[in-house]
Amino acid sequence: MRSRVLRVTLLLLVVALAGCGRPSASFDVIMTDFAFSPASYNVVGGSEVILTLTNRGAVVHNWVMLLPGSQVTSPFDEDDEPRVLWRARVLAGETETFTFTAPQSPGEYPIVCTEPGHYEAGMVGRLTVTP
Ligand SMILES: [Cu+2]
C-alpha cells in the first residue's frame, strides 16, 4: 500500500515536471491604424512566445521583430530584410495566433509594422529579452 502511494506520487511528480519545459509567455495584441496595444513585451530568452494578433484596423498589418539596434529605412524595403528575425501578418478584421521562440540573447528587439507608412506613423513596439 505504501509503495503504491509512493509510485502514484512519483508518477504525478513526473507529469508535473514534464509540464515545466521551457518558459512561455502569451500576449494578446490589438493592431489598429496605426499602433500596437500593448506595444512592449518582456520575455525570457529562448522562451516560447504565443502571440495572438487582432487587427481592428481597416488595412493589413504585420508584427515584425528586428535585430537589436536596427534602424529601418522609409519605406521598409528589401534592404531591411536582413534585419528581420520573425514576422506575422494579419488581414483587417482577422485574429490569428502565432508561436515563435524568443531570441536567446538578452536585449531590446524593435517591433515594427512594415506596411508602407505604418511604422513611420507610430506603429512600433519593443520586445525585451531577459536572461
Ligand atoms: Cu500596419
Side-chain angles (χ1 to χ4, degrees):
M1 185 62 183
R2 191 170 196 151
S3 72
R4 183 167 175 187
V5 169
L6 185 64
R7 253 183 294 159
V8 170
T9 304
L10 282 173
L11 181 67
L12 289 174
L13 187 64
V14 166
V15 168
L17 286 175
C20 326
R22 59 196 173 128
S24 65
S26 302
F27 301 101
D28 287 320
V29 181
I30 306 298
M31 306 160 101
T32 52
D33 307 335
F34 299 92
F36 297 113
S37 179
S40 296
Y41 320 93
N42 293 305
V43 300
V44 173
S47 60
E48 179 184 58
V49 181
I50 302 156
L51 192 63
T52 299
L53 301 175
T54 297
N55 183 347
R56 292 212 182 125
V59 294
V60 66
H61 291 297
N62 57 35
W63 193 101
V64 177
M65 178 170 62
L66 304 173
L67 288 168
S70 294
Q71 302 289 327
V72 291
T73 57
S74 179
F76 187 96
D77 57 24
E78 63 271 12
D79 291 343
D80 299 301
E81 287 297 329
R83 293 183 265 280
V84 172
L85 291 176
W86 191 81
R87 65 179 352 127
R89 190 166 188 264
V90 182
L91 298 175
E94 303 284 316
T95 296
E96 289 193 59
T97 298
F98 303 89
T99 301
F100 67 95
T101 302
Q104 285 289 350
S105 302
E108 306 226 321
Y109 293 74
I111 307 300
V112 295
C113 176
T114 64
E115 291 300 316
H118 291 204
Y119 90 83
E120 294 92 329
M123 201 161 185
V124 296
R126 184 182 59 229
L127 181 124
T128 302
V129 174
T130 54

